[in-house]
Amino acid sequence: MTDYIGIILLCVLCVAALIGLIVGLCKGFMAISSWANEFVIAAVGATLIGVYAGDYLEDNAWLGPVVVIGAGIVIMLLFMLISASFRKGFARGITKHKRKLKYKNMEAVQESDADIVDALSRNDFKAYKKISKSQKKKLKQHRGGWGVCDRIFGAITGAIKYFTVLALIVVGCLMVLDMTGISVNGAAITDQYLYSIFESETWIFVQPYLMDFVLIGVICACIRRGYKSGLFSGLWTLLAIVLVIMGFYLAWVIVSESGSFDGWIEGLSNGMLSSLGDGDFVTTIAKVILTAFLGIIFAVVVILLAIFIPKAIDAARETKVFHFVDGILGAIVVTGIVVGVLLFLFGMVYTLNGVEPQPDFFVKMDSYFQGGVSKYFYSQNILNMNGWMPVDLSQFFG
């Protein structure tokens, strides 16, 4: 049965690629996102650089990760620009062809326009929609060689996109099953049902590089999301959260220290809360209630600001220069924060290699962090290599 599971998964991936090809062929390259192309190329490029240039970069704890991760980001940005250039080129070429076609068939177009005007004069909107739809469909069908190229590139992009999305989901599930060793009837699922997949030459070859694609994918997503949302929108979100927290803290200080609410505190303690007893406990409960009430008032003010300030930021982002600068800064900050968090988390996990006896989870994890990119987050983590993380955490686990 396990052999059939691998074949079924492969067939499902091929079907996904076929569906993506058909969707991309119908929509065209201009109407479909090309993030999967850029992600795959960036991940492959960064992995190859990390694998083949790793020996030259190992002597410097900083140089390796900066070169490898930086190369992946540069490759991705380069192909984002290339994709954008292709879209503009296709749009320009198709527009020119349609304009030329319109001039060439001026008589038929004028006749069609006359029919549209006549339908509108008679308030015959049904006929207007029919004629207009027919005219648009005719022009859309005659997009020339640029239109053919747009369809071909769209088909390739769609196939890569659908295949990549499903492959990431399937491979992610397989990795989780392998590392966690989830069992059924006393036997691990990977040993009982999926051993032909994990023992195949293909899996053994790609296993060290799978985490490379995951990490580069996270970085690519951060860049795209950071650029789209911008730095100021992200900072305002963080600031709004901080302001709400500070508002409740300020409310507590005012209620507890200012003396302005002593009467309210005494009234609550001797009135509504008197059934709870007396003493410091009831007084504290009264202070908490008043703090919550006052803190909510402060929070409402922040929420009102949160309604108008993002709109002002969006209005400012309509300026191309501000949009570009804000997007670049946002991408840098978001990516830097996420990469820092990943380095810290995987650096902490790597310190658990000293646990005796070493759990199978960490043994399995080691096999996924041997690629060109992932090793810089794990075995060659700059935080560990510079002594900024504990050498061994086994004392906390045994």
Side-chain angles (χ1 to χ4, degrees), residues 252-333:
W252 172 261
V253 172
I254 292 174
V255 170
S256 302
E257 306 295 338
S258 68
S260 302
F261 288 83
D262 290 348
W264 289 76
I265 295 171
E266 185 178 355
L268 283 173
S269 300
N270 298 328
M272 186 175 64
L273 301 177
S274 59
S275 59
L276 298 177
D278 55 9
D280 294 338
F281 174 73
V282 176
T283 302
T284 302
I285 296 296
K287 289 181 180 179
V288 169
I289 293 174
L290 292 172
T291 298
F293 178 76
L294 191 60
I296 289 173
I297 295 176
F298 290 152
V300 169
V301 176
V302 176
I303 291 171
L304 291 175
L305 291 174
I307 294 174
F308 297 103
I309 291 181
K311 291 183 178 180
I313 295 174
D314 291 338
R317 280 175 64 86
E318 292 180 1
T319 306
K320 290 185 178 180
V321 176
F322 183 88
H323 183 278
F324 179 76
V325 174
D326 184 44
I328 292 294
L329 293 175
I332 293 172
V333 171

Side-chain angles (χ1 to χ4, degrees), residues 123-201:
N123 292 326
D124 189 352
F125 294 104
K126 186 175 181 180
Y128 159 72
K129 290 181 179 180
K130 183 178 180 181
I131 298 168
S132 179
K133 186 177 180 180
S134 176
Q135 188 183 60
K136 290 180 180 179
K137 185 177 180 181
K138 185 177 180 181
L139 289 173
K140 188 176 181 180
Q141 289 174 344
H142 297 282
R143 305 195 306 167
W146 289 104
V148 174
C149 292
D150 180 52
R151 301 290 188 184
I152 293 174
F153 275 76
I156 297 172
T157 300
I160 294 174
K161 182 178 180 179
Y162 279 57
F163 181 88
T164 300
V165 171
L166 191 58
L168 288 174
I169 295 173
V170 171
V171 171
C173 292
L174 291 175
M175 289 170 60
V176 171
L177 290 174
D178 188 31
M179 287 189 285
T180 57
I182 297 175
S183 60
V184 175
N185 298 326
I189 294 177
T190 53
D191 297 332
Q192 190 172 5
Y193 300 105
L194 304 173
Y195 64 86
S196 66
I197 296 176
F198 290 99
E199 293 179 0
S200 65
E201 294 182 1

Side-chain angles (χ1 to χ4, degrees), residues 8-51:
I8 291 172
L9 290 177
L10 183 60
C11 291
V12 170
L13 291 174
C14 292
V15 170
L18 180 61
I19 294 173
L21 187 144
I22 295 172
V23 171
L25 187 65
C26 295
K27 288 187 173 182
F29 184 70
M30 292 188 297
I32 189 169
S33 175
S34 60
W35 66 263
N37 297 2
E38 297 139 17
F39 156 63
V40 171
I41 293 170
V44 171
T47 300
L48 291 175
I49 292 172
V51 170

Side-chain angles (χ1 to χ4, degrees), residues 209-281:
Y209 312 110
L210 293 176
M211 193 58 70
D212 291 359
F213 281 76
V214 174
L215 292 171
I216 291 295
V218 171
I219 293 172
C220 291
C222 290
I223 293 173
R224 281 183 164 273
R225 182 60 188 170
Y227 184 82
K228 185 176 181 181
S229 61
L231 175 64
F232 290 96
S233 295
L235 289 178
W236 167 245
T237 302
L238 294 175
L239 180 60
I241 296 173
V242 171
L243 287 175
V244 170
I245 296 173
M246 289 181 62
F248 278 94
Y249 175 74
L250 179 62
W252 172 261
V253 172
I254 292 174
V255 170
S256 302
E257 306 295 338
S258 68
S260 302
F261 288 83
D262 290 348
W264 289 76
I265 295 171
E266 185 178 355
L268 283 173
S269 300
N270 298 328
M272 186 175 64
L273 301 177
S274 59
S275 59
L276 298 177
D278 55 9
D280 294 338
F281 174 73

